Amino acid sequence: MRISVMDVGSNTVRLVVADAVGGAPLPVHTAKWRLRLSEQVRPGEDIPQEAVERLVRAVAEAGRTAARWGAPGPPAFATAVVRAAPNRLQVLRAVRSRTGVALCTLPGEVEAELTFLGARRWMGWRCGPLALLDIGGGGFEVAFGRGRLPDFASSLPLGAGRLTHEFLADADPPSPERLKELRRHVRHQLRDVAARIRWEGPRTAVGTSRTFQQLGRLCGAAPGRHGPFVERRLERAALSRAVGRLAALPAAERSALPGISAPRAAQSLAGAVVGHTAMKLMGLKSLTLCPWAIREGVLLRQIEEGAAGASWWERVSRLGEEPAAPLDPVPLRLTAAAVSRTPATTRG
């Protein structure tokens, strides 16, 4: 069975086409198209028409690419930058009507659960109680669980792109005072979630997302060309030093550092502050860097649901059109026969 997924993030549209072999998604083709929405969309503002046009073109090409590789219409979702835009529904309708791709947004907690599923499957049961951290452009997802899906999931407005706009856009490099304000804000936002993770006492903690991967490379992890099966770790002490290195440089010079790409150089400092602060407050001395995240979580759900996967995705994707995200992202636990919500999972 050939399957695919399309992910509209804060910087790129990414497509993964995979074969379902032995219950695992094995990639046969990946592609990406640059958008850089986070550079054009400020928190609380509409996505401008020029950015919508680029989004439509990228999604249309991704849909055609999936078809050329023999994959049916991919589940397509947009993450926090689109989800938080006041004109979100107009953007989604424009994409759907002009491309035929049913782009949706998912509540942040659902994103966290899907990412946890991908990380759990990659890490395996040997990792025990698992904590997940994922830094995006617009949001920061945290989850914890002992089973296949998390017992606790949260999404916070602490994405690297969002915080760069809010705290680090007025000076390059930022002043020590502005950096201190950013740390204080991150600590305040993380207080309750971090207390929950400390209380749970995870045996293993993982970091997913390009932000963590690039910070890991900056801190000495193996480069991507060594393949996905090389163990990569991010130590909190090394990340603390990396914050100092990034803060001392203007964004244009950060891209010369190991692992820091030019498109993400500006937001790398905010990402490092979020990552370090979260690890410190949660009592985590290191993270294992996991290559599987939300896209793999969606692919895994398609494999698990089989013929019912389309109806599962349709139900989950409708959550993004509700006025407010529900407290309990239970559709991840629904079977094809289920018609009502299951009891709410524990939230901290």
Side-chain angles (χ1 to χ4, degrees):
M1 180 174 67
R2 182 151 289 184
I3 54 179
S4 61
V5 62
M6 188 189 308
D7 174 4
V8 177
S10 60
N11 290 294
T12 57
V13 173
R14 292 179 180 268
L15 173 73
V16 178
V17 180
D19 284 336
V21 179
L26 302 181
V28 296
H29 181 71
T30 61
K32 67 180 179 180
W33 294 263
R34 290 215 179 279
L35 284 181
R36 300 188 181 180
L37 288 178
S38 62
E39 297 178 6
Q40 306 161 63
V41 183
R42 293 184 176 276
E45 295 183 1
D46 283 348
I47 298 175
Q49 188 59 38
E50 180 183 351
V52 174
E53 292 299 321
R54 282 200 298 277
L55 174 58
V56 167
R57 290 194 294 271
V59 169
E61 181 57 32
R64 290 191 291 267
T65 301
R68 285 198 299 271
W69 283 85
F77 63 94
T79 50
V81 171
V82 175
R83 183 174 68 234
N87 64 338
R88 167 178 58 93
L89 293 181
Q90 295 93 316
V91 172
L92 297 179
R93 289 165 187 157
V95 171
R96 294 171 188 174
S97 65
R98 294 172 59 184
T99 69
V101 175
L103 182 67
C104 69
T105 57
L106 303 175
E109 290 82 359
V110 173
E111 289 188 15
E113 289 199 358
L114 285 164
T115 305
F116 183 94
L117 174 62
R120 167 64 80 186
R121 188 65 62 85
W122 178 270
M123 297 296 294
W125 294 106
R126 66 180 176 83
C127 69
L130 177 67
L132 166 82
L133 283 65
D134 185 289
I135 303 173
F140 177 47
E141 277 71 56
V142 179
F144 171 86
R146 295 172 174 82
R148 167 178 158 275
L149 292 175
D151 306 311
F152 162 78
S154 181
S155 181
L156 301 169
L158 295 176
R162 172 193 289 266
L163 296 179
T164 299
H165 279 308
E166 291 180 351
F167 290 91
L168 306 179
D170 53 352
D172 186 24
S175 66
E177 292 75 21
R178 203 67 175 132
L179 197 58
K180 191 175 296 184
E181 289 178 23
L182 172 59
R183 287 185 185 275
R184 187 181 306 118
H185 173 78
V186 173
R187 283 198 301 269
H188 176 74
Q189 290 282 325
L190 277 172
R191 181 183 56 199
D192 293 338
V193 169
R196 174 64 182 267
I197 297 299
R198 284 200 313 272
W199 183 81
E200 295 284 5
R203 183 178 186 274
T204 305
V206 300
T208 63
S209 76
R210 287 292 294 165
T211 295
F212 270 127
Q213 290 172 10
Q214 293 197 1
L215 292 173
R217 179 74 186 99
L218 176 62
C219 294
R225 66 177 180 273
H226 290 184
F229 300 111
V230 174
E231 184 177 15
R232 295 174 173 88
R233 300 188 68 80
L234 176 60
E235 303 295 330
R236 190 174 81 202
L239 185 54
S240 177
R241 293 189 293 270
V243 171
R245 293 178 68 187
L246 293 167
L249 296 173
E253 296 181 19
R254 292 175 198 155
S255 59
L257 296 174
I260 305 299
S261 64
R264 294 177 181 270
Q267 66 184 50
S268 59
L269 174 57
V273 170
V274 172
H276 179 261
T277 304
M279 292 175 71
K280 186 173 182 179
L281 292 180
M282 295 175 187
L284 305 174
K285 292 185 177 181
S286 68
L287 296 176
T288 298
L289 301 179
C290 176
W292 276 15
I294 187 170
R295 291 186 292 274
E296 289 75 19
V298 174
L299 292 171
L300 287 165
R301 285 296 290 178
Q302 290 184 72
I303 295 170
E304 292 174 356
E305 295 295 329
S311 61
W312 165 79
W313 179 257
E314 181 181 353
R315 185 177 177 90
V316 172
S317 64
R318 283 202 301 268
L319 291 174
E321 299 193 13
E322 297 179 3
L327 292 178
D328 179 31
V330 293
L332 287 177
R333 304 179 188 277
L334 291 180
T335 65
V339 293
S340 61
R341 291 182 180 269
T342 56
T345 54
T346 302
R347 298 273 178 245

